[in-house]
PDB file of all heavy atoms in Angstrom:
ATOM      1  N   ALA A 116     100.791 100.529 120.519  1.00 98.00           N
ATOM      2  CA  ALA A 116     101.746 101.070 121.479  1.00 98.00           C
ATOM      3  C   ALA A 116     103.065 100.305 121.446  1.00 98.00           C
ATOM      4  O   ALA A 116     103.084  99.073 121.386  1.00 98.00           O
ATOM      5  CB  ALA A 116     101.167 101.031 122.885  1.00 98.00           C
ATOM      6  N   ASN A 117     104.162 101.045 121.464  1.00 98.00           N
ATOM      7  CA  ASN A 117     105.520 100.507 121.528  1.00 98.00           C
ATOM      8  C   ASN A 117     106.203 101.182 122.712  1.00 98.00           C
ATOM      9  O   ASN A 117     106.173 102.414 122.829  1.00 98.00           O
ATOM     10  CB  ASN A 117     106.290 100.861 120.253  1.00 98.00           C
ATOM     11  CG  ASN A 117     105.731 100.227 119.013  1.00 98.00           C
ATOM     12  OD1 ASN A 117     106.211  99.213 118.537  1.00 98.00           O
ATOM     13  ND2 ASN A 117     104.668 100.814 118.456  1.00 98.00           N
ATOM     14  N   TYR A 118     106.794 100.377 123.590  1.00 98.00           N
ATOM     15  CA  TYR A 118     107.405 100.914 124.806  1.00 98.00           C
ATOM     16  C   TYR A 118     108.880 100.526 124.864  1.00 98.00           C
ATOM     17  O   TYR A 118     109.241  99.375 124.564  1.00 98.00           O
ATOM     18  CB  TYR A 118     106.715 100.330 126.048  1.00 98.00           C
ATOM     19  CG  TYR A 118     105.229 100.577 126.107  1.00 98.00           C
ATOM     20  CD1 TYR A 118     104.328  99.625 125.655  1.00 98.00           C
ATOM     21  CD2 TYR A 118     104.733 101.772 126.626  1.00 98.00           C
ATOM     22  CE1 TYR A 118     102.954  99.845 125.723  1.00 98.00           C
ATOM     23  CE2 TYR A 118     103.370 102.003 126.714  1.00 98.00           C
ATOM     24  CZ  TYR A 118     102.487 101.035 126.256  1.00 98.00           C
ATOM     25  OH  TYR A 118     101.137 101.266 126.322  1.00 98.00           O
ATOM     26  N   PHE A 119     109.710 101.473 125.306  1.00 98.00           N
ATOM     27  CA  PHE A 119     111.148 101.231 125.448  1.00 98.00           C
ATOM     28  C   PHE A 119     111.630 101.923 126.705  1.00 98.00           C
ATOM     29  O   PHE A 119     111.105 102.970 127.100  1.00 98.00           O
ATOM     30  CB  PHE A 119     111.914 101.804 124.249  1.00 98.00           C
ATOM     31  CG  PHE A 119     111.449 101.273 122.927  1.00 98.00           C
ATOM     32  CD1 PHE A 119     110.451 101.932 122.217  1.00 98.00           C
ATOM     33  CD2 PHE A 119     112.005 100.128 122.390  1.00 98.00           C
ATOM     34  CE1 PHE A 119     110.005 101.447 120.984  1.00 98.00           C
ATOM     35  CE2 PHE A 119     111.566  99.634 121.169  1.00 98.00           C
ATOM     36  CZ  PHE A 119     110.569 100.298 120.475  1.00 98.00           C
ATOM     37  N   LEU A 120     112.657 101.360 127.332  1.00 98.00           N
ATOM     38  CA  LEU A 120     113.271 102.000 128.499  1.00 98.00           C
ATOM     39  C   LEU A 120     114.715 101.585 128.623  1.00 98.00           C
ATOM     40  O   LEU A 120     115.176 100.640 127.984  1.00 98.00           O
ATOM     41  CB  LEU A 120     112.481 101.687 129.771  1.00 98.00           C
ATOM     42  CG  LEU A 120     112.267 100.231 130.208  1.00 98.00           C
ATOM     43  CD1 LEU A 120     113.494  99.658 130.933  1.00 98.00           C
ATOM     44  CD2 LEU A 120     111.078 100.158 131.134  1.00 98.00           C
ATOM     45  N   CYS A 121     115.434 102.334 129.454  1.00 98.00           N
ATOM     46  CA  CYS A 121     116.788 101.974 129.838  1.00 98.00           C
ATOM     47  C   CYS A 121     116.666 101.191 131.132  1.00 98.00           C
ATOM     48  O   CYS A 121     116.055 101.658 132.101  1.00 98.00           O
ATOM     49  CB  CYS A 121     117.651 103.231 130.047  1.00 98.00           C
ATOM     50  SG  CYS A 121     119.351 102.829 130.541  1.00 98.00           S
ATOM     51  N   SER A 122     117.251  99.981 131.155  1.00 98.00           N
ATOM     52  CA  SER A 122     117.078  99.110 132.325  1.00 98.00           C
ATOM     53  C   SER A 122     118.184  99.263 133.374  1.00 98.00           C
ATOM     54  O   SER A 122     118.173  98.554 134.378  1.00 98.00           O
ATOM     55  CB  SER A 122     116.984  97.647 131.886  1.00 98.00           C
ATOM     56  OG  SER A 122     118.222  97.213 131.337  1.00 98.00           O
ATOM     57  N   ILE A 123     119.095 100.183 133.181  1.00 97.00           N
ATOM     58  CA  ILE A 123     120.122 100.412 134.214  1.00 97.00           C
ATOM     59  C   ILE A 123     119.421 101.058 135.422  1.00 97.00           C
ATOM     60  O   ILE A 123     118.633 102.000 135.246  1.00 97.00           O
ATOM     61  CB  ILE A 123     121.257 101.288 133.652  1.00 97.00           C
ATOM     62  CG1 ILE A 123     121.981 100.486 132.568  1.00 97.00           C
ATOM     63  CG2 ILE A 123     122.205 101.743 134.759  1.00 97.00           C
ATOM     64  CD1 ILE A 123     123.061 101.207 131.847  1.00 97.00           C
ATOM     65  N   PRO A 124     119.653 100.535 136.621  1.00 97.00           N
ATOM     66  CA  PRO A 124     118.928 101.024 137.803  1.00 97.00           C
ATOM     67  C   PRO A 124     118.933 102.542 137.924  1.00 97.00           C
ATOM     68  O   PRO A 124     119.984 103.195 137.829  1.00 97.00           O
ATOM     69  CB  PRO A 124     119.675 100.358 138.971  1.00 97.00           C
ATOM     70  CG  PRO A 124     120.213  99.079 138.373  1.00 97.00           C
ATOM     71  CD  PRO A 124     120.597  99.457 136.957  1.00 97.00           C
ATOM     72  N   GLY A 125     117.743 103.098 138.095  1.00 97.00           N
ATOM     73  CA  GLY A 125     117.545 104.523 138.278  1.00 97.00           C
ATOM     74  C   GLY A 125     117.358 105.317 136.984  1.00 97.00           C
ATOM     75  O   GLY A 125     116.870 106.435 137.020  1.00 97.00           O
ATOM     76  N   HIS A 126     117.737 104.755 135.863  1.00 98.00           N
ATOM     77  CA  HIS A 126     117.655 105.509 134.609  1.00 98.00           C
ATOM     78  C   HIS A 126     116.217 105.679 134.128  1.00 98.00           C
ATOM     79  O   HIS A 126     115.824 106.797 133.745  1.00 98.00           O
ATOM     80  CB  HIS A 126     118.513 104.842 133.519  1.00 98.00           C
ATOM     81  CG  HIS A 126     119.974 104.971 133.770  1.00 98.00           C
ATOM     82  ND1 HIS A 126     120.911 104.898 132.767  1.00 98.00           N
ATOM     83  CD2 HIS A 126     120.686 105.151 134.926  1.00 98.00           C
ATOM     84  CE1 HIS A 126     122.107 105.046 133.274  1.00 98.00           C
ATOM     85  NE2 HIS A 126     122.005 105.177 134.595  1.00 98.00           N
ATOM     86  N   CYS A 127     115.429 104.633 134.145  1.00 98.00           N
ATOM     87  CA  CYS A 127     114.036 104.728 133.712  1.00 98.00           C
ATOM     88  C   CYS A 127     113.266 105.692 134.610  1.00 98.00           C
ATOM     89  O   CYS A 127     112.555 106.574 134.117  1.00 98.00           O
ATOM     90  CB  CYS A 127     113.373 103.340 133.721  1.00 98.00           C
ATOM     91  SG  CYS A 127     111.614 103.351 133.329  1.00 98.00           S
ATOM     92  N   SER A 128     113.434 105.561 135.905  1.00 97.00           N
ATOM     93  CA  SER A 128     112.708 106.438 136.821  1.00 97.00           C
ATOM     94  C   SER A 128     113.171 107.890 136.726  1.00 97.00           C
ATOM     95  O   SER A 128     112.471 108.814 137.147  1.00 97.00           O
ATOM     96  CB  SER A 128     112.833 105.943 138.261  1.00 97.00           C
ATOM     97  OG  SER A 128     114.187 105.926 138.666  1.00 97.00           O
ATOM     98  N   SER A 129     114.334 108.114 136.082  1.00 96.00           N
ATOM     99  CA  SER A 129     114.827 109.469 135.845  1.00 96.00           C
ATOM    100  C   SER A 129     114.424 109.988 134.466  1.00 96.00           C
ATOM    101  O   SER A 129     114.905 111.041 134.048  1.00 96.00           O
ATOM    102  CB  SER A 129     116.340 109.501 135.974  1.00 96.00           C
ATOM    103  OG  SER A 129     116.718 109.223 137.309  1.00 96.00           O
ATOM    104  N   GLY A 130     113.567 109.245 133.769  1.00 96.00           N
ATOM    105  CA  GLY A 130     113.019 109.731 132.512  1.00 96.00           C
ATOM    106  C   GLY A 130     113.464 109.012 131.262  1.00 96.00           C
ATOM    107  O   GLY A 130     113.035 109.366 130.156  1.00 96.00           O
ATOM    108  N   MET A 131     114.308 108.002 131.380  1.00 98.00           N
ATOM    109  CA  MET A 131     114.771 107.298 130.190  1.00 98.00           C
ATOM    110  C   MET A 131     113.817 106.177 129.792  1.00 98.00           C
ATOM    111  O   MET A 131     114.096 104.992 129.921  1.00 98.00           O
ATOM    112  CB  MET A 131     116.185 106.763 130.384  1.00 98.00           C
ATOM    113  CG  MET A 131     117.224 107.858 130.366  1.00 98.00           C
ATOM    114  SD  MET A 131     118.895 107.224 130.257  1.00 98.00           S
ATOM    115  CE  MET A 131     118.889 106.488 128.624  1.00 98.00           C
ATOM    116  N   LYS A 132     112.638 106.604 129.332  1.00 98.00           N
ATOM    117  CA  LYS A 132     111.637 105.692 128.802  1.00 98.00           C
ATOM    118  C   LYS A 132     110.804 106.446 127.786  1.00 98.00           C
ATOM    119  O   LYS A 132     110.693 107.677 127.863  1.00 98.00           O
ATOM    120  CB  LYS A 132     110.770 105.097 129.922  1.00 98.00           C
ATOM    121  CG  LYS A 132     109.923 106.084 130.704  1.00 98.00           C
ATOM    122  CD  LYS A 132     109.171 105.330 131.791  1.00 98.00           C
ATOM    123  CE  LYS A 132     108.163 106.196 132.502  1.00 98.00           C
ATOM    124  NZ  LYS A 132     107.355 105.400 133.464  1.00 98.00           N
ATOM    125  N   ILE A 133     110.282 105.700 126.831  1.00 98.00           N
ATOM    126  CA  ILE A 133     109.502 106.336 125.778  1.00 98.00           C
ATOM    127  C   ILE A 133     108.394 105.407 125.317  1.00 98.00           C
ATOM    128  O   ILE A 133     108.592 104.203 125.227  1.00 98.00           O
ATOM    129  CB  ILE A 133     110.401 106.746 124.587  1.00 98.00           C
ATOM    130  CG1 ILE A 133     109.605 107.529 123.540  1.00 98.00           C
ATOM    131  CG2 ILE A 133     111.107 105.550 123.970  1.00 98.00           C
ATOM    132  CD1 ILE A 133     110.454 108.180 122.482  1.00 98.00           C
ATOM    133  N   GLU A 134     107.240 106.015 125.076  1.00 98.00           N
ATOM    134  CA  GLU A 134     106.068 105.313 124.506  1.00 98.00           C
ATOM    135  C   GLU A 134     105.794 105.960 123.149  1.00 98.00           C
ATOM    136  O   GLU A 134     105.690 107.178 123.051  1.00 98.00           O
ATOM    137  CB  GLU A 134     104.857 105.460 125.401  1.00 98.00           C
ATOM    138  CG  GLU A 134     103.599 104.886 124.800  1.00 98.00           C
ATOM    139  CD  GLU A 134     102.372 105.138 125.639  1.00 98.00           C
ATOM    140  OE1 GLU A 134     102.467 105.702 126.754  1.00 98.00           O
ATOM    141  OE2 GLU A 134     101.269 104.783 125.174  1.00 98.00           O
ATOM    142  N   VAL A 135     105.683 105.120 122.120  1.00 97.00           N
ATOM    143  CA  VAL A 135     105.396 105.594 120.773  1.00 97.00           C
ATOM    144  C   VAL A 135     104.283 104.749 120.202  1.00 97.00           C
ATOM    145  O   VAL A 135     104.293 103.518 120.327  1.00 97.00           O
ATOM    146  CB  VAL A 135     106.670 105.463 119.896  1.00 97.00           C
ATOM    147  CG1 VAL A 135     106.363 105.768 118.459  1.00 97.00           C
ATOM    148  CG2 VAL A 135     107.773 106.359 120.404  1.00 97.00           C
ATOM    149  N   THR A 136     103.301 105.391 119.582  1.00 96.00           N
ATOM    150  CA  THR A 136     102.176 104.669 118.977  1.00 96.00           C
ATOM    151  C   THR A 136     102.323 104.654 117.463  1.00 96.00           C
ATOM    152  O   THR A 136     102.357 105.703 116.834  1.00 96.00           O
ATOM    153  CB  THR A 136     100.832 105.295 119.358  1.00 96.00           C
ATOM    154  OG1 THR A 136     100.731 105.291 120.783  1.00 96.00           O
ATOM    155  CG2 THR A 136      99.672 104.519 118.772  1.00 96.00           C
ATOM    156  N   GLY A 137     102.438 103.438 116.912  1.00 94.00           N
ATOM    157  CA  GLY A 137     102.505 103.273 115.462  1.00 94.00           C
ATOM    158  C   GLY A 137     101.118 103.150 114.899  1.00 94.00           C
ATOM    159  O   GLY A 137     100.308 102.346 115.359  1.00 94.00           O
TER     160      GLY A 137
END
Side-chain angles (χ1 to χ4, degrees):
N117 295 261
Y118 303 95
F119 303 91
L120 58 80
C121 179
S122 66
I123 294 176
H126 290 204
C127 176
S128 60
S129 294
M131 287 192 66
K132 63 182 187 174
I133 185 169
E134 174 185 356
V135 172
T136 302

